[in-house]
Amino acid sequence: MARRGNSIIKGLDINDIITRLNKAYADEWLAYYQYFIEAKVVKGIMKDAAIAELDQHAADELRHANMVADRILQLGGTPLLNPKDWFTHTNCGYEEPKDFDVVSILEDSIKGEQCAISIYSELADFTRNKDIVTYDIVSQILADEVEHEEDLQALHDDITDFITDIKKKTN
Ligand code: FE
Ligand code: FE
Ligand code: MG
């Protein structure tokens, strides 16, 4: 890796950056699939609003996987080649939907976003002033993950408020 693009990285082991990015890469694929399948199986009140949000987030996670894979390749690494490796490298794991109710699906996804926010925040701290290009990419992804958490939490709160209102009216 004698490229000029990699010579500007200061004080970090490139293999260490690649290892961390591959862990984030595994997270993104698992997050993508989690949203994909949640949008298919979700049931209950206001589920159409939830499906729109879950589908949009699935597309974002796949875009993140692309961004991370491209950066791993630029650094001279190889993105994980086998989906089996996603489970051994992931930071945030995979929350299999067990209860398909919209509120529980949203709660599973919020947990995932909170983990993603912690991981990208750590990656930003790790690369700040040392690997500017990776820093820029992880900062963009971090901003998306913060937006994801907010969108899901707002929808979750709207739905639970609505359910509370209905219960009050029927009592
Ligand atoms: Fe993501
Ligand atoms: Fe996300
Ligand atoms: Mg959204």
PDB file of all heavy atoms in Angstrom, residues 24 27-28 31-32 35 57 60-65 113 116 120 141 144-145 148, ligand 1:
ATOM      1  N   ALA A  24     -17.739  -2.912  11.432  1.00  0.00           N
ATOM      2  CA  ALA A  24     -18.857  -2.016  11.104  1.00  0.00           C
ATOM      3  C   ALA A  24     -19.577  -2.511   9.840  1.00  0.00           C
ATOM      4  O   ALA A  24     -20.811  -2.408   9.721  1.00  0.00           O
ATOM      5  CB  ALA A  24     -18.351  -0.593  10.905  1.00  0.00           C
ATOM      6  N   ASP A  27     -21.906  -5.158  10.816  1.00  0.00           N
ATOM      7  CA  ASP A  27     -23.070  -4.527  11.458  1.00  0.00           C
ATOM      8  C   ASP A  27     -24.051  -3.988  10.425  1.00  0.00           C
ATOM      9  O   ASP A  27     -25.270  -4.119  10.577  1.00  0.00           O
ATOM     10  CB  ASP A  27     -22.630  -3.333  12.330  1.00  0.00           C
ATOM     11  CG  ASP A  27     -21.873  -3.756  13.573  1.00  0.00           C
ATOM     12  OD1 ASP A  27     -22.051  -4.889  14.051  1.00  0.00           O
ATOM     13  OD2 ASP A  27     -21.092  -2.917  14.082  1.00  0.00           O
ATOM     14  N   GLU A  28     -23.527  -3.338   9.383  1.00  0.00           N
ATOM     15  CA  GLU A  28     -24.400  -2.716   8.382  1.00  0.00           C
ATOM     16  C   GLU A  28     -25.225  -3.760   7.635  1.00  0.00           C
ATOM     17  O   GLU A  28     -26.419  -3.565   7.408  1.00  0.00           O
ATOM     18  CB  GLU A  28     -23.588  -1.880   7.388  1.00  0.00           C
ATOM     19  CG  GLU A  28     -22.934  -0.642   7.999  1.00  0.00           C
ATOM     20  CD  GLU A  28     -23.936   0.404   8.500  1.00  0.00           C
ATOM     21  OE1 GLU A  28     -25.158   0.253   8.314  1.00  0.00           O
ATOM     22  OE2 GLU A  28     -23.472   1.379   9.113  1.00  0.00           O
ATOM     23  N   ALA A  31     -27.852  -5.017   9.986  1.00  0.00           N
ATOM     24  CA  ALA A  31     -28.876  -3.979  10.184  1.00  0.00           C
ATOM     25  C   ALA A  31     -29.774  -3.906   8.944  1.00  0.00           C
ATOM     26  O   ALA A  31     -30.999  -3.783   9.049  1.00  0.00           O
ATOM     27  CB  ALA A  31     -28.225  -2.628  10.449  1.00  0.00           C
ATOM     28  N   TYR A  32     -29.143  -3.987   7.786  1.00  0.00           N
ATOM     29  CA  TYR A  32     -29.923  -3.985   6.531  1.00  0.00           C
ATOM     30  C   TYR A  32     -30.945  -5.119   6.557  1.00  0.00           C
ATOM     31  O   TYR A  32     -32.136  -4.906   6.314  1.00  0.00           O
ATOM     32  CB  TYR A  32     -28.999  -4.144   5.316  1.00  0.00           C
ATOM     33  CG  TYR A  32     -29.752  -4.540   4.070  1.00  0.00           C
ATOM     34  CD1 TYR A  32     -30.567  -3.617   3.414  1.00  0.00           C
ATOM     35  CD2 TYR A  32     -29.704  -5.844   3.581  1.00  0.00           C
ATOM     36  CE1 TYR A  32     -31.317  -3.982   2.295  1.00  0.00           C
ATOM     37  CE2 TYR A  32     -30.441  -6.214   2.473  1.00  0.00           C
ATOM     38  CZ  TYR A  32     -31.238  -5.286   1.832  1.00  0.00           C
ATOM     39  OH  TYR A  32     -31.973  -5.653   0.746  1.00  0.00           O
ATOM     40  N   TYR A  35     -33.847  -4.633   9.108  1.00  0.00           N
ATOM     41  CA  TYR A  35     -34.894  -3.720   8.626  1.00  0.00           C
ATOM     42  C   TYR A  35     -35.705  -4.338   7.491  1.00  0.00           C
ATOM     43  O   TYR A  35     -36.922  -4.182   7.421  1.00  0.00           O
ATOM     44  CB  TYR A  35     -34.277  -2.401   8.152  1.00  0.00           C
ATOM     45  CG  TYR A  35     -33.941  -1.461   9.280  1.00  0.00           C
ATOM     46  CD1 TYR A  35     -32.649  -1.005   9.478  1.00  0.00           C
ATOM     47  CD2 TYR A  35     -34.949  -1.001  10.143  1.00  0.00           C
ATOM     48  CE1 TYR A  35     -32.344  -0.122  10.510  1.00  0.00           C
ATOM     49  CE2 TYR A  35     -34.654  -0.128  11.172  1.00  0.00           C
ATOM     50  CZ  TYR A  35     -33.353   0.311  11.350  1.00  0.00           C
ATOM     51  OH  TYR A  35     -33.068   1.174  12.359  1.00  0.00           O
ATOM     52  N   HIS A  57     -34.788   2.931   6.096  1.00  0.00           N
ATOM     53  CA  HIS A  57     -33.590   2.638   6.878  1.00  0.00           C
ATOM     54  C   HIS A  57     -32.818   1.469   6.279  1.00  0.00           C
ATOM     55  O   HIS A  57     -31.583   1.481   6.263  1.00  0.00           O
ATOM     56  CB  HIS A  57     -33.949   2.371   8.339  1.00  0.00           C
ATOM     57  CG  HIS A  57     -34.392   3.610   9.058  1.00  0.00           C
ATOM     58  ND1 HIS A  57     -34.440   3.708  10.417  1.00  0.00           N
ATOM     59  CD2 HIS A  57     -34.798   4.815   8.596  1.00  0.00           C
ATOM     60  CE1 HIS A  57     -34.863   4.917  10.767  1.00  0.00           C
ATOM     61  NE2 HIS A  57     -35.102   5.600   9.666  1.00  0.00           N
ATOM     62  N   ASP A  60     -30.727   2.837   3.649  1.00  0.00           N
ATOM     63  CA  ASP A  60     -29.595   3.582   4.216  1.00  0.00           C
ATOM     64  C   ASP A  60     -28.490   2.641   4.712  1.00  0.00           C
ATOM     65  O   ASP A  60     -27.300   2.909   4.507  1.00  0.00           O
ATOM     66  CB  ASP A  60     -30.057   4.453   5.393  1.00  0.00           C
ATOM     67  CG  ASP A  60     -30.840   5.680   4.954  1.00  0.00           C
ATOM     68  OD1 ASP A  60     -30.761   6.055   3.758  1.00  0.00           O
ATOM     69  OD2 ASP A  60     -31.540   6.276   5.805  1.00  0.00           O
ATOM     70  N   GLU A  61     -28.877   1.543   5.367  1.00  0.00           N
ATOM     71  CA  GLU A  61     -27.856   0.629   5.907  1.00  0.00           C
ATOM     72  C   GLU A  61     -27.078  -0.030   4.759  1.00  0.00           C
ATOM     73  O   GLU A  61     -25.860  -0.204   4.854  1.00  0.00           O
ATOM     74  CB  GLU A  61     -28.466  -0.446   6.821  1.00  0.00           C
ATOM     75  CG  GLU A  61     -29.381   0.041   7.949  1.00  0.00           C
ATOM     76  CD  GLU A  61     -28.828   1.106   8.884  1.00  0.00           C
ATOM     77  OE1 GLU A  61     -27.698   1.578   8.702  1.00  0.00           O
ATOM     78  OE2 GLU A  61     -29.561   1.475   9.827  1.00  0.00           O
ATOM     79  N   LEU A  62     -27.777  -0.341   3.674  1.00  0.00           N
ATOM     80  CA  LEU A  62     -27.095  -0.926   2.516  1.00  0.00           C
ATOM     81  C   LEU A  62     -26.128   0.099   1.902  1.00  0.00           C
ATOM     82  O   LEU A  62     -25.006  -0.242   1.503  1.00  0.00           O
ATOM     83  CB  LEU A  62     -28.145  -1.381   1.491  1.00  0.00           C
ATOM     84  CG  LEU A  62     -27.673  -2.296   0.377  1.00  0.00           C
ATOM     85  CD1 LEU A  62     -26.985  -3.546   0.921  1.00  0.00           C
ATOM     86  CD2 LEU A  62     -28.861  -2.707  -0.510  1.00  0.00           C
ATOM     87  N   ARG A  63     -26.542   1.341   1.860  1.00  0.00           N
ATOM     88  CA  ARG A  63     -25.664   2.417   1.371  1.00  0.00           C
ATOM     89  C   ARG A  63     -24.445   2.547   2.294  1.00  0.00           C
ATOM     90  O   ARG A  63     -23.316   2.735   1.829  1.00  0.00           O
ATOM     91  CB  ARG A  63     -26.464   3.727   1.313  1.00  0.00           C
ATOM     92  CG  ARG A  63     -25.730   4.902   0.706  1.00  0.00           C
ATOM     93  CD  ARG A  63     -26.677   6.085   0.451  1.00  0.00           C
ATOM     94  NE  ARG A  63     -27.525   6.410   1.584  1.00  0.00           N
ATOM     95  CZ  ARG A  63     -27.122   7.113   2.654  1.00  0.00           C
ATOM     96  NH1 ARG A  63     -25.894   7.589   2.709  1.00  0.00           N
ATOM     97  NH2 ARG A  63     -27.951   7.358   3.652  1.00  0.00           N
ATOM     98  N   HIS A  64     -24.652   2.416   3.597  1.00  0.00           N
ATOM     99  CA  HIS A  64     -23.522   2.461   4.539  1.00  0.00           C
ATOM    100  C   HIS A  64     -22.556   1.299   4.287  1.00  0.00           C
ATOM    101  O   HIS A  64     -21.336   1.477   4.343  1.00  0.00           O
ATOM    102  CB  HIS A  64     -24.007   2.394   5.992  1.00  0.00           C
ATOM    103  CG  HIS A  64     -24.833   3.567   6.415  1.00  0.00           C
ATOM    104  ND1 HIS A  64     -25.629   3.545   7.532  1.00  0.00           N
ATOM    105  CD2 HIS A  64     -24.983   4.805   5.876  1.00  0.00           C
ATOM    106  CE1 HIS A  64     -26.238   4.713   7.667  1.00  0.00           C
ATOM    107  NE2 HIS A  64     -25.868   5.489   6.666  1.00  0.00           N
ATOM    108  N   ALA A  65     -23.120   0.106   4.042  1.00  0.00           N
ATOM    109  CA  ALA A  65     -22.267  -1.059   3.762  1.00  0.00           C
ATOM    110  C   ALA A  65     -21.387  -0.774   2.542  1.00  0.00           C
ATOM    111  O   ALA A  65     -20.192  -1.085   2.532  1.00  0.00           O
ATOM    112  CB  ALA A  65     -23.126  -2.306   3.527  1.00  0.00           C
ATOM    113  N   GLU A 113     -29.883   0.934  16.628  1.00  0.00           N
ATOM    114  CA  GLU A 113     -29.367   2.266  16.281  1.00  0.00           C
ATOM    115  C   GLU A 113     -28.501   2.827  17.408  1.00  0.00           C
ATOM    116  O   GLU A 113     -27.494   3.482  17.150  1.00  0.00           O
ATOM    117  CB  GLU A 113     -30.521   3.232  15.982  1.00  0.00           C
ATOM    118  CG  GLU A 113     -31.279   2.907  14.706  1.00  0.00           C
ATOM    119  CD  GLU A 113     -30.410   2.932  13.462  1.00  0.00           C
ATOM    120  OE1 GLU A 113     -29.323   3.544  13.460  1.00  0.00           O
ATOM    121  OE2 GLU A 113     -30.833   2.317  12.462  1.00  0.00           O
ATOM    122  N   ALA A 116     -25.204   1.303  17.025  1.00  0.00           N
ATOM    123  CA  ALA A 116     -24.506   1.879  15.862  1.00  0.00           C
ATOM    124  C   ALA A 116     -23.942   3.263  16.200  1.00  0.00           C
ATOM    125  O   ALA A 116     -22.803   3.594  15.822  1.00  0.00           O
ATOM    126  CB  ALA A 116     -25.456   1.963  14.665  1.00  0.00           C
ATOM    127  N   TYR A 120     -19.960   4.136  15.805  1.00  0.00           N
ATOM    128  CA  TYR A 120     -19.441   5.164  14.885  1.00  0.00           C
ATOM    129  C   TYR A 120     -18.859   6.347  15.644  1.00  0.00           C
ATOM    130  O   TYR A 120     -17.938   7.009  15.145  1.00  0.00           O
ATOM    131  CB  TYR A 120     -20.513   5.590  13.878  1.00  0.00           C
ATOM    132  CG  TYR A 120     -20.669   4.550  12.803  1.00  0.00           C
ATOM    133  CD1 TYR A 120     -21.797   3.750  12.733  1.00  0.00           C
ATOM    134  CD2 TYR A 120     -19.650   4.333  11.874  1.00  0.00           C
ATOM    135  CE1 TYR A 120     -21.919   2.761  11.771  1.00  0.00           C
ATOM    136  CE2 TYR A 120     -19.761   3.350  10.908  1.00  0.00           C
ATOM    137  CZ  TYR A 120     -20.898   2.561  10.853  1.00  0.00           C
ATOM    138  OH  TYR A 120     -20.995   1.586   9.904  1.00  0.00           O
ATOM    139  N   ILE A 141     -21.941   8.655   8.343  1.00  0.00           N
ATOM    140  CA  ILE A 141     -22.781   7.525   8.755  1.00  0.00           C
ATOM    141  C   ILE A 141     -23.355   7.788  10.145  1.00  0.00           C
ATOM    142  O   ILE A 141     -24.547   7.546  10.396  1.00  0.00           O
ATOM    143  CB  ILE A 141     -21.994   6.189   8.703  1.00  0.00           C
ATOM    144  CG1 ILE A 141     -21.541   5.885   7.269  1.00  0.00           C
ATOM    145  CG2 ILE A 141     -22.847   5.039   9.253  1.00  0.00           C
ATOM    146  CD1 ILE A 141     -20.686   4.627   7.110  1.00  0.00           C
ATOM    147  N   ASP A 144     -26.394   9.841  10.045  1.00  0.00           N
ATOM    148  CA  ASP A 144     -27.567   9.052   9.608  1.00  0.00           C
ATOM    149  C   ASP A 144     -28.105   8.199  10.753  1.00  0.00           C
ATOM    150  O   ASP A 144     -29.327   8.074  10.909  1.00  0.00           O
ATOM    151  CB  ASP A 144     -27.193   8.107   8.453  1.00  0.00           C
ATOM    152  CG  ASP A 144     -26.949   8.828   7.138  1.00  0.00           C
ATOM    153  OD1 ASP A 144     -27.380   9.988   6.983  1.00  0.00           O
ATOM    154  OD2 ASP A 144     -26.316   8.212   6.248  1.00  0.00           O
ATOM    155  N   GLU A 145     -27.207   7.599  11.532  1.00  0.00           N
ATOM    156  CA  GLU A 145     -27.664   6.709  12.621  1.00  0.00           C
ATOM    157  C   GLU A 145     -28.393   7.514  13.701  1.00  0.00           C
ATOM    158  O   GLU A 145     -29.375   7.046  14.275  1.00  0.00           O
ATOM    159  CB  GLU A 145     -26.497   5.916  13.228  1.00  0.00           C
ATOM    160  CG  GLU A 145     -25.604   5.145  12.253  1.00  0.00           C
ATOM    161  CD  GLU A 145     -26.269   4.116  11.356  1.00  0.00           C
ATOM    162  OE1 GLU A 145     -27.505   4.071  11.274  1.00  0.00           O
ATOM    163  OE2 GLU A 145     -25.521   3.345  10.711  1.00  0.00           O
ATOM    164  N   HIS A 148     -31.738   8.071  12.324  1.00  0.00           N
ATOM    165  CA  HIS A 148     -32.526   6.838  12.408  1.00  0.00           C
ATOM    166  C   HIS A 148     -33.120   6.658  13.807  1.00  0.00           C
ATOM    167  O   HIS A 148     -34.294   6.326  13.951  1.00  0.00           O
ATOM    168  CB  HIS A 148     -31.651   5.617  12.093  1.00  0.00           C
ATOM    169  CG  HIS A 148     -31.299   5.464  10.644  1.00  0.00           C
ATOM    170  ND1 HIS A 148     -30.406   4.518  10.199  1.00  0.00           N
ATOM    171  CD2 HIS A 148     -31.730   6.137   9.551  1.00  0.00           C
ATOM    172  CE1 HIS A 148     -30.310   4.599   8.874  1.00  0.00           C
ATOM    173  NE2 HIS A 148     -31.093   5.580   8.458  1.00  0.00           N
TER     174      HIS A 148
HETATM  175 FE    FE B   1     -25.865   2.118   9.187  1.00  0.00          FE
END
